[in-house]
Amino acid sequence: MSIAQTIEFEQRGDHLGWLVALEGERNVPFPVKRTYYIYGTLPGARRGRHAHHTLRQLMVCLSGSCKVLLDDGQSREEILLSRNTQGLLLDPMVWHEMYEFSEGCVLLVLADNWYDEADYIRNYDAFKAACR
Ligand code: T46
């Protein structure tokens, strides 16, 4: 079984161009309280490197590509995000790291709660201990 679920979004549009709609509690399986985007990542940088106690998030790569390492404390997997019609659901207590960002990569993230540094586990040993 996969650590994180991926969701395929319906692409809408016509001969003029394309559009994907993300709707909380519809095709996004939680109420959306916060949206942020990650961009301008330095070449070779590794971002994330944390887990959340309770936050649920959905990640969509709007432009370019990057890889995401997922770790649930027992196993690890790597996912390539390179399509803006695919979402990656990040449940609580999943350690995640984003890396191999292509030039111009833009990652959109929808979250079910506001920013709260107390929800982060930024130390990997503490994460492993909390999983036990
Ligand atoms: C996550 C991955 C996918 C805020 O002030 N408000 C916010 O909503 C966020 C997300 C961050 N910040 C501040 C905290 C730091 O001072 O922005 C700075 C950069 O955040 P961070 O180093 O956590 O960024 P990433 O790219 O490593 O991680 C982010 C999210 O923080 C995190 O929740 O799951 O993207």
Side-chain angles (χ1 to χ4, degrees):
M1 214 178 90
S2 249
I3 297 176
Q5 189 192 332
T6 54
I7 302 178
E8 292 300 324
F9 297 114
E10 193 182 330
Q11 182 173 254
R12 297 169 187 277
D14 53 25
H15 65 286
L16 296 177
W18 301 108
L19 181 152
V20 172
L22 304 178
E23 299 183 297
E25 297 181 276
R26 287 188 158 177
N27 59 356
V28 178
F30 52 76
V32 178
K33 265 194 171 174
R34 179 167 53 112
T35 303
Y36 60 92
Y37 39 93
I38 291 170
Y39 61 100
T41 303
L42 285 179
R46 232 173 151 88
R47 299 186 67 161
R49 300 172 65 94
H50 59 251
H52 289 279
H53 288 289
T54 62
L55 192 70
R56 290 191 81 193
Q57 301 192 100
L58 177 94
M59 224 183 237
V60 182
C61 186
L62 294 186
S63 179
S65 65
C66 73
K67 288 182 178 168
V68 186
L69 170 79
L70 302 167
D71 179 335
D72 64 3
Q74 296 200 312
S75 57
R76 293 185 149 210
E77 71 187 59
E78 179 186 82
I79 293 190
L80 171 70
L81 293 181
S82 59
R83 287 186 292 115
N84 56 18
T85 52
Q86 184 187 51
L88 175 66
L89 259 184
L90 274 176
D91 280 330
M93 294 305 291
V94 173
W95 183 268
H96 48 282
E97 302 184 6
M98 298 87 78
Y99 52 101
E100 291 188 26
F101 286 84
S102 69
E103 201 185 327
C105 176
V106 181
L107 260 189
L108 174 74
V109 186
L110 310 184
D112 75 349
N113 216 338
W114 299 303
Y115 174 68
D116 177 10
E117 188 57 38
D119 190 61
Y120 284 70
I121 307 175
R122 292 195 184 270
N123 177 286
Y124 186 71
D125 292 337
F127 165 71
K128 288 287 279 184
C131 288
R132 279 186 221 116

